[in-house]
């Protein structure tokens, strides 16, 4: 009976008749609109029939697909779309299941038009907000199929573009449908993100390459509208913008894997573009999560090629700068720690030539120039990120980097060529480069905060090393910190300008905090400037840096006392060149003369004391006529013009301390202090300096001991230290050490093997001896207080102190 009813149209269920009536005899006529309105009204009036309508439409569509009647397929999908838009009743879930089944059937087809048709219907469905939730719907197939369409390789370029765009639109629809519905399958699971994100990146990457090869720029605007790249970028931004705190990791990890698998770190252009999209799309408070992901990926690629690591660092630099405008959180020091760790690893790789520390068969050989490129990328990243930080965080970073710089050791030279020593030197140079990058442009009104004692001590102790490159870095770092008004570049060349007003210097009055800083650290700074001037390995850059440092101190931190001390310091430097106790080369002596002339010319015009300016001007003019090799214009050039005879310098060519003291004293400066020659104080830092020999250190110790001893009158003069004396001292010290080691071994053996009674007797004897010594000390040190009225004579004619009670003392009359 059921089969008979099925063949007779009048006996068929009403919903089937209504569905059949929407299909015309000729599919080219399209959907019968009046009948479609009747079907929609029926579905709204009888919602319980909606699922049957969907099932029947699905049945017809599958049959038409099988029979290649694609016109009726399009009509069926159009009818489904209209029913979805009109019906939001509680029973729509079952209808949606039929709808998704039909869309899946179209997507499975090999016909591009059917795939696009199914995708368009799915996108319309994704934009519908359903009234009732669904507990069992799955979109796994759609994620997989749309991702596959994003990678289409159809022979026809136009069809391939349409399929890829449909795939991107489909993924966008899946994201919109599921991302905010907690009852749906979690789209943020790795199994989905590992398909969605790479599909979007694939289109960003490959279509960008196709556009770069496009020969017709006039058609570019139309192509941009049709480009999968723009659509993929918009979809990726929407995806990341919807990501919550716990989902960022799953969204970023596929990006990193995609860049790894396709070797996209080395050109780094695409990688930077990707992470710019990411950083500007996510919520600002989630930025530090992306930074952490990149830091972790950098650590994971510690043994990758230097070009790969350099690409990751470049991306990290761009991302960190963007993140710094939001909230970086606790990742600031973590980032610098990771970068400095990678810097040290790179130094090791460059020194050893392999990632394992030893070259063997099968070991990947490292190219040193690539490691240098990576190191420069790290230093650049450190500087660019630090420049975005607030002052207080920047100060912490500066202290953090300085704490990582290896300190110079008394027992280990850094330039003798051993592997470990070279590593220390390279590490010092790279970290000081990083510190220079961080300090560039650093603005801090209080120098006590900018250069705290612990930081300044370590920095200046590094300046005592023989390595010329390290000393230059230290000078440049000091200049970066002190220069707060942008005057640094105005002193890049050393000259004796007759009018310094052309420099347009920005001069501010020395603040109270700066005065306190100079009172505490000025002598330390002067000392290191003085010692730096005496180095034989100095070149033109060193003297330019020293001149810039002296000039900036005079402008930024100078008061009357500082000016006087700086003049004394420069005159002492002139004496170094004149006396030449250090046996400096001719160029260094001429450079010191020229440096003194340039600085005194500057400071005389800053102080605006006419007599002082006149004296400096007279000496400079005399030098121009008789000794141009003592002026910067002849010394600090590409081919210096020097004099081989500097021993007979006449007094007219020198700046005289007595004359300067006289003219400045008349203008209110401390003439007594100006008359005192500058002598640097010797400190423990000299033990770290490689310019002092062992003999000098020993003789210095002997001299200090004899000077500080209360019995120095009774001591014989200190023995002269010679090579034989040193050799004997070294041999004797070795023998003493051997004897001490043998004595300790005997003591340990005695306590291990001797009977208890013998050990107890030995300890008892030592205890009594100790007690007797203590009694003697107490008798010597514990005495009655001296008598204010003098001493009285006791037995044997020896004077004896006698204490008189306070109430018996007679005091003079203070008012009498």
């Amino acid at each position: 009976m059921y089969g008979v009813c099925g063949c007779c149209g009048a006996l068929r269920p009403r919903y089937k008749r209504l569905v059949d009536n929407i299909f015309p005899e000729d599919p080219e006529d399209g959907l019968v609109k009046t009948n479609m309105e009747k079907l929609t009204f029926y579905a709204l009036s009888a919602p319980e029939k909606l699922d049957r309508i969907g099932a029947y439409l699905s049945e017809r569509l599958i049959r038409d697909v099988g029979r290649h009647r694609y016109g009726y397929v399009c009509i069926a999908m159009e009818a489904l779309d209209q029913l979805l838009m009109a019906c939001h009743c509680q029973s729509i879930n079952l209808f949606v299941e039929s709808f998704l089944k039909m869309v899946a059937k179209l997507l499975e087809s090999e016909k591009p038009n059917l795939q696009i048709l199914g995708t368009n219907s799915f996108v319309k469905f994704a934009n519908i907000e359903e009234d009732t939730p669904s507990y069992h719907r799955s979109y796994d197939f759609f994620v997989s199929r749309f991702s596959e369409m994003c990678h289409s390789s159809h022979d026809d370029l136009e069809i391939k573009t349409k399929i890829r765009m449909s795939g991107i639109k489909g993924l966008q629809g899946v994201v919109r449908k599921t991302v905010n519905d907690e009852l749906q399958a979690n789209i943020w699971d790795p199994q989905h993100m590992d398909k969605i994100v790479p599909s979007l990146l694939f289109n960003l990457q490959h279509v960008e390459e196709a556009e770069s090869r496009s020969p017709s720029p006039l058609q570019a605007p139309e192509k941009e509208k049709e480009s999968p790249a723009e659509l993929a970028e918009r979809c990726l931004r929407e995806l990341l913008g919807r990501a919550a705190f716990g989902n960022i990791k799953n969204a970023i990890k596929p990006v990193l894997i995609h860049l790894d698998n396709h070797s996209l770190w080395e050109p780094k252009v695409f990688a930077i573009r990707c992470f710019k999209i990411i950083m500007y799309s996510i919520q600002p408070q989630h930025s530090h999560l992306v930074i952490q992901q990149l830091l972790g990926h950098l650590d994971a690629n510690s043994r990758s090629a230097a070009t790969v690591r350099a690409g990751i660092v470049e991306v990290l630099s761009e991302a960190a700068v963007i993140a710094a405008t939001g909230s970086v959180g606790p990742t600031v020091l973590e980032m610098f720690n990771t970068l400095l760790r990678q810097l040290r690893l790179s130094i090791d790789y460059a020194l050893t030539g392999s990632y394992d520390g030893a070259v063997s068969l099968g070991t990947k050989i490292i190219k040193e120039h690539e490691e240098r490129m990576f190191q420069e990328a790290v230093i650049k990243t450190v500087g660019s990120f630090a420049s975005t930080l607030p002052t207080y965080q920047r100060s912490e970073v500066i202290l953090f980097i300085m704490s990582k710089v290896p300190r110079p050791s008394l027992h280990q030279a850094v330039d003798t060529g051993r592997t470990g020593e070279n590593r220390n030197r390279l590490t010092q140079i790279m970290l000081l480069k990083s510190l220079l990058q961080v300090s560039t442009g650093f603005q801090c009104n209080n120098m006590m905060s900018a250069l705290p004692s612990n930081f300044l001590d370590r920095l200046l102790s590094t300046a005592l090393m023989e390595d010329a490159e390290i000393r230059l870095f230290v000078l440049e770092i000091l200049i970066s910190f002190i220069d707060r008004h942008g005057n640094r570049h105005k002193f890049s060349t050393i000259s004796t300008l007759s009018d310094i007003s052309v420099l347009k210097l920005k001069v501010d009055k020395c603040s109270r905090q700066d005065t306190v800083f100079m009172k505490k650290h000025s002598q330390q700074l002067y000392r290191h400037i003085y010692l730096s001037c005496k180095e034989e390995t100095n070149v033109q850059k060193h003297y330019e840096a020293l001149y810039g440092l002296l000039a900036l101190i005079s402008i930024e931190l100078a008061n009357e006392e500082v000016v006087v001390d700086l003049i004394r310091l420069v005159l002492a430097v002139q004496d170094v060149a004149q006396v030449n106790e250090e046996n400096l080369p001719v160029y260094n002596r001429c450079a010191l003369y020229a440096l003194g002339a340039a600085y005194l010319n500057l400071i005389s015009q800053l102080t605006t004391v006419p007599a002082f300016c006149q004296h400096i001007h007279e000496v400079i003019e005399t030098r121009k006529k008789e000794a141009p090799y003592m002026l910067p214009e002849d010394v600090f050039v590409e081919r210096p013009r020097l004099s081989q005879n500097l021993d007979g310098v006449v007094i007219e060519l020198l700046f005289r301390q007595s004359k300067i003291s006289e003219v400045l004293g008349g203008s209110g400066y401390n003439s007594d202090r100006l008359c005192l020659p500058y002598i640097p104080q010797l400190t423990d830092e000299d033990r770290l300096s490689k310019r002092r020999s062992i003999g000098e250190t020993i003789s210095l110790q002997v001299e200090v001991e004899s000077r500080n001893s209360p019995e120095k009158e009774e001591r014989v003069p200190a023995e002269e230290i010679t090579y034989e004396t040193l050799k004997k001292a070294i041999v004797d010290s070795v023998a003493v050490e051997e004897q001490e080691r043998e004595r300790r071994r005997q003591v340990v053996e005695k306590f291990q093997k001797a009977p208890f009674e013998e050990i107890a007797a030995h300890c008892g004897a030592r205890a009594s001896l100790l007690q007797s010594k203590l009694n003697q000390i107490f008798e010597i040190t514990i005495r009655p207080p001296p008598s204010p009225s003098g001493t009285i004579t006791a037995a044997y004619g020896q004077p004896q102190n006698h204490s008189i009670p306070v109430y018996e003392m007679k005091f003079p009359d203070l008012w009498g």
Side-chain angles (χ1 to χ4, degrees), residues 144-159:
S144 300
R145 183 57 185 152
F146 289 138
S147 299
E148 186 179 348
M149 292 170 64
C150 288
H151 292 81
S152 174
S153 58
H154 198 279
D155 295 336
D156 191 327
L157 179 60
E158 186 177 353
I159 294 176

Side-chain angles (χ1 to χ4, degrees), residues 109 132 250 268-269 331 569 576 705 730 751 811:
S109 172
T132 56
N250 290 341
K268 74 191 173 188
V269 176
T331 59
L569 171 63
V576 170
E705 286 179 359
I730 293 173
F751 275 86
F811 295 95

Side-chain angles (χ1 to χ4, degrees), residues 467-509:
D467 192 286
E469 189 175 3
I470 291 178
R471 293 202 314 274
L472 184 59
F473 278 126
V474 172
L475 291 173
E476 290 178 347
I477 290 168
L478 285 172
I479 289 173
S480 295
F481 279 111
I482 295 175
D483 181 26
R484 292 172 292 183
H485 294 87
N487 292 314
R488 177 181 181 177
H489 67 280
K490 299 172 184 177
F491 303 110
S492 57
T493 57
I494 309 178
S495 62
T496 53
L497 291 173
S498 57
D499 184 8
I500 63 170
S501 61
V502 297
L503 297 177
K504 297 180 180 179
L505 299 174
K506 298 178 182 177
V507 183
D508 235 346
K509 186 178 179 181

Side-chain angles (χ1 to χ4, degrees), residues 48 50 91 164 172 273 336 452 485 491 572-573 602 611 672 716 761 793:
E48 68 278 1
L50 190 60
S91 59
R164 288 187 178 181
Q172 190 176 29
R273 182 189 173 194
F336 285 101
H485 294 87
F491 303 110
V573 170
L602 173 70
D672 294 338
V716 296
T793 304

